[in-house]
Amino acid sequence: MALPQARPSFLPDAEFLRLKALLIRRTGHFYYEDKDDLLWERVRRRLRVLNLPGTGAYLELLQDPARGEAEWAALEAEITIGETFFFRYAEQFAALRNTILPEILARNAGTRRLRIWSAGCANGSEPYSLAILLRQMLGEALADWRITLLGTDLNEASLESARLGTFSPWALRSMPPEDRARDFVPIPGGRGWQLRPQHRAMVRFQRQNLLDLLKPDAALEMNEFDLVLCRNVLIYFHPEVVLQLVRAMAERLVPGGWLLLGHAEPSPAYAQFLEPVSLPGTAAWRRGGEDLPPLPEMPAPDSAPPPPPPA
């Protein structure tokens, strides 16, 4: 009996390799360096939507002065779609509730100012979870605090969804029914749940490519954070770039500020400029009071296209 033949792998041509190089340079998503089949599936979706014959025509569209930026945004949305939900990683939220946020709130009791950044926030579940948690912890005292809760992402479509504050039951699956009823309003027709306005008002969203942190003209308002969460984002980047990005995020923390990463993302190398803190089920990092030591310089990313690979 003949065995079924394996499905042939996608064979990249010169135009696809040029597109991949452009994409990695623009987004920093080194994750796709060895995943041609996966990237091709994402690109092919855009080709079908646009009714384009192939990668060459798609490259022409991306380089079109009038339409290119809009299509880049659509492609970036395809490659950054991530699954997330409220209060994801219970151990980290327990650390936030029991250790990290109480320490920050006590330290900032004099100024009553709190700045938190959720990098790679996708549909907003993470910063909105923090908003719910802070309202629970502060109660009526919340009105006396100046709280900045910033969510950033490369995917503009995800940010638009986050601003709407509507979620499927799947995104709320980790919440007990009584908590869901307290913090959300059911959408008529069983079409999901709307986050209550008092939580939505606490969070601001903006588009950002993390690579911009490595540029000399990085946004000045991205600074003085008490807490930065960047969970399951760094896996997309080259290891050398990851070290630069973590160093850049550490620079944007106040002395004593906290950094939380995904479970698979910590590295001993971060101890060059951050203090590791071991919490139950959670690896956290804190900035010390001194200036951070420099890392070897890396050329700032630019938008110049790379030369086409040899045919």
Side-chain angles (χ1 to χ4, degrees):
M1 178 178 176
L3 295 175
Q5 293 185 346
R7 180 183 176 184
S9 298
F10 168 67
L11 297 177
D13 57 17
E15 290 174 333
F16 175 84
L17 292 175
R18 177 172 171 77
L19 173 61
K20 181 173 77 170
L22 280 166
L23 182 68
I24 291 175
R25 174 170 293 192
R26 180 181 173 99
T27 66
H29 283 197
F30 188 78
Y31 173 81
Y32 288 100
E33 176 66 27
D34 60 352
K35 296 177 176 61
D36 288 345
D37 287 51
L38 181 59
L39 180 57
W40 171 241
E41 284 298 318
R42 306 290 195 262
V43 172
R44 189 164 61 173
R45 291 176 192 170
R46 296 305 305 158
L47 296 180
R48 289 170 177 166
V49 168
L50 299 165
N51 196 28
L52 291 176
T55 312
Y58 193 52
L59 278 168
E60 290 181 11
L61 172 60
L62 290 172
Q63 295 166 346
D64 183 280
R67 300 184 296 158
E69 281 303 312
E71 184 51 36
W72 270 117
L75 179 58
E76 289 162 358
E78 283 287 355
I79 69 165
T80 57
I81 291 173
E83 193 272 347
T84 186
F85 51 92
F86 276 75
F87 295 97
R88 187 179 185 182
Y89 299 129
E91 299 92 344
Q92 288 194 344
F93 270 95
L96 285 164
R97 180 189 293 273
N98 299 326
T99 302
I100 297 174
L101 287 174
E103 189 280 330
I104 295 173
L105 293 174
R107 174 158 42 90
N108 294 1
T111 62
R112 298 197 176 186
R113 177 190 177 207
L114 176 63
R115 287 176 57 79
I116 299 176
W117 172 24
S118 169
C121 67
N123 66 358
S125 296
E126 181 174 271
Y128 282 142
S129 295
L130 289 165
I132 292 171
L133 180 56
L134 285 168
R135 188 171 292 276
Q136 292 172 357
M137 294 177 67
L138 288 171
E140 294 182 359
L142 179 71
D144 299 326
W145 283 74
R146 292 178 297 140
I147 295 178
T148 297
L149 256 173
L150 174 66
T152 66
D153 202 275
L154 178 66
N155 188 335
E156 184 60 51
S158 291
L159 293 174
E160 287 300 318
S161 174
R163 294 182 184 108
L164 291 174
T166 56
F167 297 91
S168 68
W170 182 251
L172 277 58
R173 65 186 184 273
S174 66
M175 298 185 70
E178 59 272 18
D179 290 352
R180 184 178 58 197
R182 179 194 64 213
D183 298 316
F184 293 83
V185 177
I187 299 174
R191 293 183 293 115
W193 297 79
Q194 175 97 48
L195 186 66
R196 292 188 182 272
Q198 63 266 33
H199 302 315
R200 290 167 57 195
M202 293 179 63
V203 184
R204 177 171 62 88
F205 295 98
Q206 71 182 42
R207 186 178 184 274
Q208 186 204 47
N209 186 340
L210 276 184
L211 284 184
D212 291 343
L213 296 178
L214 306 183
K215 295 180 179 180
D217 57 349
L220 294 177
E221 71 271 15
M222 301 293 294
N223 220 325
E224 297 186 338
F225 288 103
D226 299 290
L227 169 64
V228 173
L229 301 96
C230 185
R231 306 189 300 173
N232 304 310
V233 179
L234 299 178
I235 56 173
Y236 288 105
F237 295 93
H238 189 282
E240 293 180 3
V241 177
V242 168
L243 192 60
Q244 296 280 342
L245 289 174
V246 173
R247 169 63 172 71
M249 286 187 280
E251 184 68 42
R252 285 156 177 80
L253 290 169
V254 298
W258 293 79
L259 173 66
L260 280 183
L261 303 175
H263 288 302
E265 295 171 320
S267 166
Y270 305 158
Q272 298 176 59
F273 41 83
L274 288 169
E275 300 171 0
V277 181
S278 181
L279 299 172
T282 300
W285 304 85
R286 293 191 73 182
R287 176 175 175 171
E290 304 81 14
D291 291 339
L292 300 183
L295 287 176
E297 291 188 5
M298 185 187 76
D302 58 56
S303 57

